[in-house]
Amino acid sequence: MAVSATVGLTLLAMNLATGEKKVASRVESLYGVRDPQFLRSMGLLLGPGIQQGNRIDYLENGDQIFPAMLEAIRSAKKTITFETFIYWSGEIGREFADALRERAQAGVRVHVLLDWVGSMRMDGRLLARMRRDGVEVERYHQPRWYHLARMNNRTHRKLLVVDGSVGFTGGVGIADQWSGNAQDEAHWRDAHFRVAGPVVAEFQAVFMDNWVKATGRVLHGSDYFPKLSEAGDMAAQMFSSSPTGGSESMHLMYLLSIAAARESILLSSAYFVPDALAIDALVDAAARGVKIRIITPGVHIDEHVVRRASRARWGELLEAGIEIYEFQPTMFHCKIMIIDGYLVSTGSTNFDNRSFRLNDEANLNVYDTRFAECMTGVFERDMQRGRRIELEQWRHRPLPQKVTEHAASMLGKQL
């Protein structure tokens, strides 16, 4: 019994540990997002190079997102690579499985990487049919004795690449909650993006990173990495992070971007639990005169402990004049940051410790004024459907609410 308890406590400690050293000090504000030095930092200091000549299309809610993804899957001629956190049973799950199965039976090489935790609600029979019909499906960090210490490390990435030339990323999971048009509380508000151009090769490389970790097999060649021509005029990069290699890179990318803000920060965040460094960075930006507005879920949220932990941390932000809005109609699952009407960062990353340090994440960074203008319009429409939280209202919330929120906030390292 004592041995079992010791082993159990050891595994728990290993899973709760963040591993690598963390960013421990504030990031200085040395240049703006339009400064060439900022672009050099983003493309050389932190991650992959910034690719020119891309087209990025914004897709809003399931009514636009799922048809676009399914159309791309059904058009595949050679390869499909698909990594996602959430894949549940239901109508949408069956429709995606059928499309993937049909392409596999037609000779397309189909590779699907599902997070083990995120796909636990998937019907096993559906999974078996996919495998039977030639879809190569792997579960990321499925419990095995030799990597139990990594149980707390999930892949939260949302990546679909078809024929190595068309990519999708954003916030949606494969579940019926994302269907529809956010018309009621049963249908979530979210955003996804269809991408063509040279940056899609970086999507594929990010998928391959976890595919190799999960299978030990390398997929390469022109069917996966074709020569890509320019498809538009946008500059972009696919930014990724993982606790097994560069867990702080996503956190640092956000901190550098906030430090480079000179005019405005717009942040849509499904799970907003900022740590002390992030709070300091936002407060410092506000002190520089940057106008900051944040949208986060209201009462309609799937993880109520996250909302409680989030609200406990709003004091300094509200005191600094930062505007916070709680989205009212339904669950708000968007993950988008817009800096100075120029940089748009979007993908799977939430503004919390789990995304910054525990999960495998991937974000598309787009450097384009027109695209940022489009996404700013989307943000402002969402903001109109939110309720602004005023400082005095926050200060005078009921005592029991304060107690539960601060108790939830103590779990911040795991949220």
Side-chain angles (χ1 to χ4, degrees):
M1 180 69 71
V3 173
S4 298
T6 300
V7 171
L9 289 172
T10 300
L11 288 172
L12 177 62
M14 292 171 70
N15 272 279
L16 294 180
T18 55
E20 301 170 352
K21 289 186 177 180
K22 301 182 293 184
V23 178
S25 61
R26 296 187 185 189
V27 175
E28 291 184 75
S29 178
L30 301 178
Y31 37 72
V33 295
R34 298 172 188 267
D35 190 306
Q37 185 58 51
F38 176 74
L39 298 179
R40 282 192 288 272
S41 295
M42 297 297 277
L44 297 174
L45 173 65
L46 289 183
I50 298 170
Q51 303 292 328
Q52 303 292 330
N54 303 286
R55 173 177 174 173
I56 294 99
D57 297 316
Y58 166 63
L59 304 170
E60 184 166 300
N61 300 327
D63 277 354
Q64 291 184 9
I65 296 165
F66 290 139
M69 293 176 72
L70 288 165
E71 178 184 9
I73 289 171
R74 291 166 180 150
S75 72
K77 300 295 189 294
K78 296 179 180 179
T79 62
I80 297 170
T81 54
F82 186 28
E83 179 176 357
T84 190
F85 178 65
I86 294 293
Y87 198 128
W88 294 341
S89 297
E91 182 178 345
I92 293 298
R94 287 192 297 273
E95 193 168 359
F96 269 79
D98 289 345
L100 293 166
R101 289 167 52 218
E102 188 279 328
R103 285 291 80 199
Q105 290 176 311
V108 174
R109 281 163 286 176
V110 182
H111 313 278
V112 176
L113 184 59
L114 306 176
D115 185 77
W116 181 77
V117 171
S119 62
M120 287 180 67
R121 291 166 60 180
M122 184 181 187
D123 188 338
R125 293 170 297 180
L126 189 63
L127 192 63
R129 285 198 297 271
M130 291 170 69
R131 286 173 169 155
R132 180 197 65 200
D133 291 335
V135 178
E136 192 173 5
V137 184
E138 297 288 344
R139 309 289 281 277
Y140 190 73
H141 283 181
Q142 187 165 344
R144 293 186 174 92
W145 68 268
Y146 50 84
H147 61 50
L148 290 177
R150 286 181 278 164
M151 278 292 295
N152 204 29
N153 168 214
R154 314 311 324 163
T155 180
H156 194 243
R157 297 170 181 171
K158 285 92 173 172
L159 298 169
L160 170 65
V161 181
V162 174
D163 290 335
S165 61
V166 178
F168 291 81
T169 194
V172 301
I174 307 304
D176 289 346
Q177 283 86 337
W178 278 275
S179 63
N181 194 32
Q183 66 268 29
D184 54 47
E185 61 187 73
H187 299 84
W188 292 3
R189 169 74 183 93
D190 214 336
H192 225 65
F193 300 83
R194 176 176 49 211
V195 183
V199 77
V200 175
E202 294 182 356
F203 281 54
Q204 193 77 291
V206 171
F207 171 86
M208 294 304 175
D209 175 53
N210 271 356
W211 184 258
V212 171
K213 290 176 187 175
T215 70
R217 299 189 296 277
V218 180
L219 307 175
H220 62 102
S222 61
D223 289 349
Y224 298 95
F225 292 97
K227 183 178 180 180
L228 297 174
S229 301
E230 292 190 356
D233 58 2
M234 299 183 192
Q237 67 182 155
M238 172 51 73
F239 202 90
S240 65
S241 65
S242 171
T244 58
S247 65
E248 283 294 286
S249 57
M250 192 68 75
H251 190 207
L252 184 54
M253 185 273 286
Y254 271 77
L255 293 176
L256 274 171
S257 300
I258 292 169
R262 295 292 181 267
E263 302 164 7
S264 61
I265 298 172
L266 308 179
L267 183 63
S268 298
S269 182
Y271 307 102
F272 178 70
V273 189
D275 62 9
L277 275 179
I279 291 172
D280 288 345
L282 290 167
V283 170
D284 288 348
R288 294 195 304 272
V290 177
K291 184 175 182 179
I292 304 174
R293 292 177 288 174
I294 299 168
I295 305 174
T296 194
V299 295
H300 301 299
I301 187 170
D302 61 330
E303 298 287 351
H304 289 280
V305 67
V306 174
R307 180 172 182 247
R308 295 186 184 103
S310 176
R311 291 171 64 89
R313 302 180 182 210
W314 291 358
E316 290 182 64
L317 302 175
L318 293 170
E319 288 168 1
I322 294 170
E323 299 177 13
I324 300 177
Y325 298 82
E326 288 191 324
F327 194 75
Q328 296 299 298
T330 185
M331 170 64 185
F332 185 77
H333 201 257
C334 299
K335 310 157 197 302
I336 303 171
M337 179 174 68
I338 308 169
I339 306 288
D340 287 358
Y342 180 64
L343 165 64
V344 179
S345 185
T346 184
S348 63
T349 307
N350 294 306
F351 205 90
D352 60 15
N353 191 74
R354 173 155 290 279
S355 277
F356 289 153
R357 297 194 173 106
L358 299 176
N359 286 341
D360 292 8
E361 302 285 3
N363 262 37
L364 174 67
N365 291 348
V366 184
Y367 305 89
D368 186 85
T369 301
R370 285 177 299 167
F371 185 69
E373 182 180 5
C374 168
M375 296 314 302
T376 297
V378 172
F379 180 94
E380 290 176 345
R381 291 197 301 272
D382 285 336
M383 191 180 71
Q384 294 301 316
R385 303 175 73 191
R387 180 173 65 96
R388 184 174 176 181
I389 305 301
E390 303 289 349
L391 176 59
E392 289 306 309
Q393 171 194 353
W394 180 85
R395 283 175 172 166
H396 293 98
R397 65 201 192 283
L399 180 60
Q401 184 176 330
K402 292 180 181 179
V403 171
T404 58
E405 288 173 359
H406 282 283
S409 183
M410 294 175 67
L411 301 173
K413 289 186 177 181
Q414 293 298 309
L415 297 178

